[in-house]
Amino acid sequence: MTNPVDLEAWKALAAHHDDIKTTHLRELFAADPTRFDKFQLSAAGLFLDYSKNHLTEETHRCLLALAEASNVTGKLHSMFSGEMVNPTEARPALHTALRNRGSEPVIVDGQDVMPPVRDVLERLGRFSDAVRDGSWTGYTGQPITDVVNIGIGGSDLGPLMAVEALAPFAHKRLALHFVSNVDGSHMVSTLKKVNPETTLFIVASKTFTTQETLTNAHSARSWFLDSGASEADIARHFVALSTNSSAVTAFGIDANNMFGFWDWVGGRYSLWSAIGLPLILSVGMERFEQFLQGAYDMDQHTRTAPLAVNMPVTLALLTVWYNNFWGAHSHLIAPYDQYLHRFPAYLQQLTMESNGKSVHVNGSAVQLATGPVVWGEPGTNGQHAYFQLLHQGTHLIPTDFIMALESLNPLGIHQELLMANCFAQSEALMMGKTKAELKAEMQAAGASEEDIKQLAGHRSFSGNRPSNTLLVQQMSPHALGALIALYEHKVFVEAAIWDINPFDQWGVELGKQLAKSIHHEMEQKNTVSSHDSSTNGLINRALKLKNLLA
Ligand code: F6P
């Protein structure tokens, strides 16, 4: 593949940026009152207003030319059809097969994977129904009241985010808990809340080798047995979600209590698989099917919509536009929905573990910026934390506002205030307030000329700060599924344009390797000297201050 920066379309965008970079967004709206109608899309129940961007029809044409030149359509087809889009791990990436509601087969190594996918979903449904209706009981014959998911990364962030997002649909008897950190406090603080007789532990790990998860799982197992349960009782209180059945059995979980998935499901793309069991237990299989349907509907849009009206392609092109031509390497996710409070954290793994890469698919070093830093908290809280920087700081930080028009908890004027704040923020970021407008405002309020002179610079707003606004009618299981799939495909299209592999994560290996060797050294209880002076110093200080030295 041609180096993206050598593409004519890339060079044309750079030239176009020179033409447009001094045009204020205010000017674009003043010149074309139909921008809102012109730059909006609807798909799978989601509505996108992308008019508040540094974007003209010429920009759109240039961006679409880059998508064409990057073979985005062909690469999307390759992913959906199970080709090896993850060459460094010699795997396809078929999270889309997990939510395939159609009748068409999905072939991997000559086999249709849909029958086993449907079998696992069937087993998950039966198990979830039994736990939810109380027929699955603990070793003292009582129904399950608490579910503890033990996992990390994609085996935690997705199910946790989704359970929180769909909390209003949660089973009344089941309390869901998530333990991920190897910090003992995470497990201890959770175990304090639950009764071993009525607790179900889910050990969620695609590889079943992750240090944090196995350490936590062994501690939970010990706690369970120390509480008076027997080895035989484990079968009623521990299930596993993994691709590694031999490791699951070796841990001591019955193979019948394992719900499997496949190596062509990436960890950060696995919420649709057995990893979604906490969500299925919380909201039930019927709603989980609606969740899958929402993602499937977004998949169908992504596969069939022309690039010019393709929602994930549009979002991806805008990120490439700001990341590679406007120098914006930070992207804010602003869900104006308290139940989506873990959505930015989930997107951090999805986007930054996928596109935080510095080599092209062929292994050559990139000569362009790849994945930006993604972060965020729910609105309106962000307005009282970091929106100052967004409005008057020196950094360009494109923002995605996400909001449901209907609250799942209608309460007086709360939803109207939430919506007003969401719309106001994107308007303020875009329009700003000029010094002239500020001066008139302060004069009308009777301010002295001295005050006006002194404060004009401090109280005016440059504006010209872009954002997208995504609206759904209500944050239903279907809407959440569509929203997540939208971002999954956005990430893929970004990677297609940057010509990087979004599905591997070699960057996590070095830290794991060093942690293992440092832990081994610390267990020897001797001072260490095998590292740099800082690392040696830190380890030896810890050993000394914790009286760990032999
Ligand atoms: O962060 C590295 C990683 O491999 C992620 O990709 C993955 O989601 C997480 O660790 C947990 O892996 P596993 O599900 O295999 O325990």
Side-chain angles (χ1 to χ4, degrees):
M1 169 142 177
T2 309
N3 186 327
V5 299
D6 294 333
L7 292 169
E8 287 312 311
W10 189 280
K11 293 171 186 171
L13 269 169
H16 178 65
H17 175 255
D18 283 341
D19 297 340
I20 194 177
K21 64 188 177 186
T22 59
T23 303
H24 196 290
L25 289 171
R26 280 179 173 228
E27 297 171 59
L28 296 179
F29 275 89
D32 181 355
T34 70
R35 281 183 68 82
F36 176 73
D37 301 323
K38 199 172 282 178
F39 298 115
Q40 63 173 249
L41 290 173
S42 292
L46 305 185
F47 173 82
L48 169 66
D49 167 21
Y50 64 103
S51 61
K52 292 193 177 89
N53 279 292
H54 292 286
L55 179 85
T56 63
E57 284 164 294
E58 177 57 18
T59 318
H60 203 196
R61 271 191 292 277
C62 292
L63 288 170
L64 289 171
L66 178 61
E68 292 280 357
S70 307
N71 188 25
V72 162
T73 302
K75 290 175 181 176
L76 279 168
H77 175 75
S78 297
M79 177 184 71
F80 277 106
S81 54
E83 290 177 30
M84 197 196 299
V85 293
N86 178 2
T88 65
E89 294 181 302
R91 291 170 184 167
L94 275 169
H95 41 288
T96 50
L98 298 169
R99 65 230 189 179
N100 173 20
R101 309 278 86 190
S103 54
E104 69 276 11
V106 179
I107 308 299
V108 175
D109 298 332
Q111 296 291 321
D112 179 9
V113 299
M114 289 315 303
V117 164
R118 293 192 178 106
D119 286 351
V120 170
L121 207 54
E122 176 69 29
R123 281 190 60 223
L124 287 163
R126 284 201 304 274
F127 176 69
S128 165
D129 290 349
V131 171
R132 288 166 56 86
D133 69 21
S135 56
W136 178 285
T137 57
Y139 72 96
T140 58
Q142 299 172 73
I144 298 299
T145 58
D146 292 86
V147 178
V148 179
N149 185 82
I150 302 172
I152 197 165
S155 298
D156 165 71
L157 288 165
L160 169 53
M161 174 275 296
V163 164
E164 290 291 301
L166 299 180
F169 305 98
H171 192 285
K172 296 291 173 278
R173 172 175 24 93
L174 292 179
L176 272 292
H177 311 268
F178 292 83
V179 177
S180 48
N181 202 329
V182 78
D183 174 350
S185 297
H186 208 178
M187 180 56 79
V188 169
S189 60
T190 301
L191 293 178
K192 282 177 180 168
K193 300 174 191 169
V194 300
N195 171 357
E197 297 180 11
T198 60
T199 296
L200 173 72
F201 290 95
I202 299 175
V203 185
S205 177
K206 175 178 176 179
T207 58
F208 227 81
T209 59
T210 304
Q211 180 189 65
E212 296 95 329
T213 301
L214 294 184
T215 305
N216 276 324
H218 280 294
S219 297
R221 189 174 185 278
S222 302
W223 172 85
F224 179 70
L225 296 175
D226 293 348
S227 70
S230 69
E231 291 272 352
D233 300 324
I234 285 180
R236 302 205 63 73
H237 293 267
F238 282 78
V239 297
L241 316 175
S242 186
T243 62
N244 189 344
S245 53
S246 54
V248 167
T249 312
F251 173 82
I253 292 178
D254 189 315
N256 293 323
N257 281 6
M258 174 180 151
F259 299 95
F261 55 109
W262 302 271
D263 65 9
W264 38 261
V265 180
R268 52 194 175 273
Y269 297 89
S270 62
L271 178 53
W272 323 98
S273 75
I275 292 292
L277 179 58
L279 179 60
I280 300 170
L281 289 168
S282 181
V283 304
M285 180 50 82
E286 188 180 340
R287 290 193 183 96
F288 188 75
E289 302 260 24
Q290 293 163 8
F291 174 69
L292 297 177
Q293 184 69 47
Y296 178 69
D297 291 346
M298 183 53 73
D299 290 347
Q300 293 306 93
H301 164 76
T302 306
R303 299 175 79 158
T304 59
L307 295 179
V309 291
N310 192 303
M311 196 178 281
V313 170
T314 300
L315 290 178
L317 287 170
L318 286 166
T319 290
V320 169
W321 181 224
Y322 293 123
N323 188 61
N324 295 96
F325 297 90
W326 291 76
H329 302 151
S330 166
H331 191 120
L332 173 63
I333 302 296
Y336 272 64
D337 182 327
Q338 188 57 33
Y339 284 133
L340 284 182
H341 69 112
R342 295 301 290 158
F343 190 66
Y346 165 78
L347 282 187
Q348 284 186 322
Q349 186 196 13
L350 177 65
T351 59
M352 293 159 73
E353 194 165 87
S354 292
N355 289 347
K357 310 287 170 68
S358 53
V359 292
H360 292 300
V361 173
N362 67 9
S364 64
V366 299
Q367 298 165 328
L368 48 72
T370 55
V373 173
V374 169
W375 56 288
E377 287 290 328
T380 56
N381 300 53
Q383 298 168 203
H384 303 270
Y386 42 78
F387 270 60
Q388 163 62 46
L389 183 145
L390 289 181
H391 286 289
Q392 293 186 326
T394 58
H395 302 286
L396 177 64
I397 301 179
T399 299
D400 288 357
F401 291 98
I402 302 167
M403 188 172 64
L405 299 177
E406 286 174 25
S407 170
L408 292 165
N409 295 297
L411 178 62
I413 60 167
H414 288 247
Q415 191 64 13
E416 286 66 34
L417 288 174
L418 184 70
M419 289 193 288
N421 274 279
C422 181
F423 299 150
Q425 288 301 323
S426 67
E427 179 183 18
L429 286 168
M430 186 266 285
M431 293 294 285
K433 182 183 287 183
T434 65
K435 287 182 181 172
E437 289 163 342
L438 176 77
K439 181 174 179 180
E441 198 176 272
M442 291 183 72
Q443 281 171 340
S448 69
E449 286 308 310
E450 180 55 29
D451 281 355
I452 291 170
K453 183 165 177 287
Q454 189 185 2
L455 291 176
H458 297 274
R459 292 186 57 184
S460 55
F461 293 72
S462 67
N464 209 29
R465 298 159 192 249
S467 66
N468 298 309
T469 298
L470 272 163
L471 298 180
V472 297
Q473 192 61 31
Q474 187 186 73
M475 198 46 72
S476 63
H478 185 282
L480 182 66
L483 182 68
I484 295 168
L486 169 65
Y487 276 96
E488 286 181 341
H489 295 319
K490 175 193 183 219
V491 165
F492 179 77
V493 173
E494 290 170 2
I497 292 167
W498 292 325
D499 184 30
I500 59 177
N501 178 355
F503 297 119
D504 60 9
Q505 52 284 319
W506 299 108
V508 305
E509 295 307 317
L510 179 57
K512 289 181 182 178
Q513 206 176 18
L514 292 175
K516 198 171 281 186
S517 66
I518 289 174
H519 180 243
H520 177 70
E521 284 177 324
M522 292 180 80
E523 283 190 313
Q524 309 314 308
K525 301 190 187 304
N526 301 319
T527 53
V528 300
S529 56
S530 63
H531 306 272
D532 59 276
S533 65
S534 165
T535 307
N536 286 335
L538 291 169
I539 295 169
N540 293 331
R541 182 177 177 81
L543 288 170
K544 183 168 172 242
L545 294 182
K546 285 178 62 66
N547 298 316
L548 289 176
L549 291 172

